[in-house]
Amino acid sequence: MPFIRTNVHQSTSTEHRQGIVDGIHQALVESIGMPEDELFNMVNNYDARQFFFNRTFNGMARSDKPVVVEITLRRGRSDAMKRALYAAIARNLKANAGVAPDDVFIFMHENDYSDWSVGGGKFAMALVQQPGPG
């Protein structure tokens, strides 16, 4: 179960926020085989006083409103899967919300089942994963 934290400029519309969340979610489903019902994406705002960045680092041409995507998930995805995921997120955000690929900044935090409790205060390793209602 990946947990996503997406940081967007405070002026991002509700419609574009939804397009961003949907684009990230679909990329996770398609690229790493995440089940459709595993949507956990917390969207946070930032303004120019809260996020300082280089617009041209690594040859990019960033606007003043990049989207920062933090993905926390269980360890075990290959580099090829991650490459496909990053490309799919950038592609989907452009298609769904008009976000330029240079404005998509993604990074991952990997951990193990023992690092999660996904409800009821229960240790995730003790739970048998149940799909949500479809």
Side-chain angles (χ1 to χ4, degrees), residues 11 19 26 34 42 50 56 65 68 70 73 76-78 88 132:
S11 67
Q26 197 56 42
M34 185 184 77
M42 182 175 291
Q50 297 167 308
T56 59
K65 300 176 184 177
V68 180
E70 298 178 58
L73 75 165
R77 277 50 178 220
S78 69

Side-chain angles (χ1 to χ4, degrees), residues 27-123:
L28 286 159
V29 170
E30 292 171 359
S31 300
I32 67 168
M34 185 184 77
E36 281 279 344
D37 69 341
E38 291 188 13
L39 172 59
F40 297 93
N41 190 326
M42 182 175 291
V43 180
N44 296 304
N45 292 329
Y46 68 84
D47 68 29
R49 298 166 298 163
Q50 297 167 308
F51 184 31
F52 300 85
F53 58 91
N54 185 302
R55 289 179 184 237
T56 59
F57 174 75
N58 211 22
M60 299 295 134
R62 293 179 184 84
S63 75
D64 59 346
K65 300 176 184 177
V67 174
V68 180
V69 181
E70 298 178 58
I71 303 170
T72 302
L73 75 165
R74 195 171 33 85
R75 190 171 279 111
R77 277 50 178 220
S78 69
D79 285 351
M81 291 173 85
K82 291 174 190 177
R83 235 184 321 287
L85 173 62
Y86 301 157
I89 290 173
R91 184 175 56 250
N92 291 354
L93 268 55
K94 181 170 178 51
N96 291 6
V99 177
D102 282 2
D103 277 339
V104 180
F105 188 85
I106 305 165
F107 60 98
M108 285 196 171
H109 308 282
E110 293 183 304
N111 55 32
D112 296 308
Y113 272 123
S114 63
D115 298 312
W116 294 82
S117 174
V118 296
K122 296 179 181 175
F123 191 53

